[in-house]
Amino acid sequence: MKQITFFTIIISIFGFSQEKLTTQDFGLHKNTETVISKQYWEDDQSNVVFTEELKFYNTFLEEQKTKDGDYVTVKKYYYNIDNLLVKIETEHVHSGEKEKEVFHYKNLQLQNSELWMHGKMFSKTQYFFDKNNRLTKEIEKDAKNKVSRIVEYKNYKNEDSFTKLIKDFQNDKVVETTEEIYENKLLVEANYEMYNLKTNVKNTYNKEGWIVKEVFSNSEVVENTFTYEVDEKGNPIKVTKTNSQNQGNYVLVINNTYSTFPTN
């Protein structure tokens, strides 16, 4: 089952996973403190399918908690004095398993990151930049020092418009490729290929950077549309997702709280 949570809807505005996550990045009011969303099937709004809670502190994302049935996952985000993301800790409450991703910088530029699982390093990623300090490549290696993923950033029009090419490896062979095209930090088109199965996705956004339409094309074409209701501060309080086949439609009911403290 695919959950269309608020975080999933808005996350496509981010070009790089290592960027700090702020209320402004989400298109939210700067004083947003919590965003709690509950997902329902459109034809059965008596039962909650999925719940998500986002917590912000001084505009920065501090915690993300999701609940899918009995499965609860909690992610905590940590930043350094320069407001750079340095660690993400994830706890799978149901199983008790924990993992963390750690980011390392030199002169404020990301150098590498490590993913730790079960107390052991699972993978390590190196980052490469051009003379204009734009990210050009990521190379991820597993615990055995074998390349598991290569990400290339090409065709820069500016800092926020580029093409991202992802290749996933298994036994030294490419098993999946993804091409993502970003404009003004927004993912406008993606092409996925796995085992000769190809899918094209095109996205359209509103002025807040929230997705309003996505079109999937493979053996058939499916169009999803998103409509929003907002509160007096401009944050969404209801998101409705419908598709061209009238199947799997969702409603998100969202509760926002706001901090009374001034933000930087």
Side-chain angles (χ1 to χ4, degrees):
M1 180 185 299
K2 181 181 179 183
Q3 283 81 26
I4 308 297
T5 68
F6 184 71
F7 189 78
T8 306
I9 291 172
I10 309 300
I11 195 62
S12 59
I13 72 172
F14 300 108
F16 314 131
S17 61
Q18 70 271 15
E19 282 190 4
K20 57 183 179 289
L21 309 179
T22 69
T23 52
Q24 291 93 332
D25 292 330
F26 281 95
L28 300 172
H29 188 276
K30 65 180 181 180
N31 288 106
T32 302
E33 192 169 55
T34 62
V35 177
I36 301 174
S37 61
K38 295 182 179 181
Q39 178 183 320
Y40 305 84
W41 294 106
E42 188 178 41
D43 56 358
D44 181 12
Q45 297 187 31
S46 61
N47 296 311
V48 178
V49 178
F50 192 82
T51 303
E52 178 182 57
E53 180 176 354
L54 304 178
K55 293 183 179 180
F56 296 88
Y57 177 75
N58 198 23
T59 75
F60 286 89
L61 180 62
E62 187 177 51
E63 182 177 292
Q64 177 199 10
K65 182 178 181 180
T66 59
K67 186 176 187 296
D68 185 359
D70 293 329
Y71 292 91
V72 177
T73 301
V74 179
K75 286 189 174 185
K76 294 184 178 181
Y77 298 78
Y78 300 87
Y79 307 85
N80 63 14
I81 195 172
D82 298 304
N83 292 330
L84 296 172
L85 181 65
V86 294
K87 184 170 62 174
I88 303 173
E89 290 183 344
T90 303
E91 180 181 5
H92 303 279
V93 178
H94 185 78
S95 64
E97 294 182 355
K98 296 181 179 180
E99 58 194 60
K100 66 179 179 181
E101 192 168 6
V102 183
F103 302 91
H104 303 280
Y105 300 83
K106 183 178 180 181
N107 297 326
L108 305 181
Q109 188 178 82
L110 184 62
Q111 300 296 298
N112 58 72
S113 64
E114 301 160 357
L115 176 61
W116 292 75
M117 302 176 66
H118 309 294
K120 298 181 180 180
M121 190 172 71
F122 182 78
S123 65
K124 185 172 184 177
T125 302
Q126 287 184 290
Y127 302 88
F128 302 87
F129 298 80
D130 63 18
K131 63 182 180 180
N132 295 315
N133 293 320
R134 298 181 302 196
L135 186 60
T136 58
K137 183 179 288 189
E138 304 174 21
I139 299 179
E140 177 186 303
K141 295 183 179 181
D142 61 21
K144 295 181 180 180
N145 207 36
K146 287 190 174 183
V147 174
S148 54
R149 170 175 284 195
I150 294 178
V151 183
E152 294 181 278
Y153 299 85
K154 302 178 176 180
N155 306 326
Y156 275 100
K157 298 178 182 177
N158 53 52
E159 296 263 337
D160 301 324
S161 301
F162 52 87
T163 300
K164 180 178 180 180
L165 180 63
I166 306 169
K167 294 181 180 179
D168 289 303
F169 293 82
Q170 194 172 66
N171 298 323
D172 299 323
K173 294 182 179 179
V174 176
V175 293
E176 185 175 358
T177 62
T178 303
E179 180 189 51
E180 298 177 341
I181 300 173
Y182 291 84
E183 293 182 5
N184 299 318
K185 289 189 178 181
L186 299 171
L187 177 61
V188 296
E189 185 174 357
N191 294 289
Y192 305 96
E193 183 174 356
M194 184 176 183
Y195 303 119
N196 295 322
L197 298 175
K198 298 181 179 181
T199 301
N200 173 268
V201 182
K202 293 181 179 179
N203 299 322
T204 305
Y205 302 85
N206 62 15
K207 60 184 178 63
E208 286 82 12
W210 304 335
I211 192 167
V212 293
K213 184 171 71 173
E214 59 181 357
V215 180
F216 292 84
S217 303
N218 41 42
S219 58
E220 59 182 354
V221 177
V222 178
E223 180 177 307
N224 296 320
T225 58
F226 301 85
T227 57
Y228 300 84
E229 296 179 19
V230 301
D231 62 17
E232 67 279 2
K233 294 186 182 295
N235 281 3
I237 56 174
K238 185 177 181 180
V239 183
T240 302
K241 189 216 98 174
T242 58
N243 67 46
S244 55
Q245 297 182 343
N246 198 32
Q247 295 178 347
N249 296 336
Y250 297 95
V251 174
L252 291 182
V253 177
I254 303 168
N255 179 53
N256 303 291
T257 65
Y258 299 91
S259 170
T260 57
F261 295 100
T263 55
N264 294 328

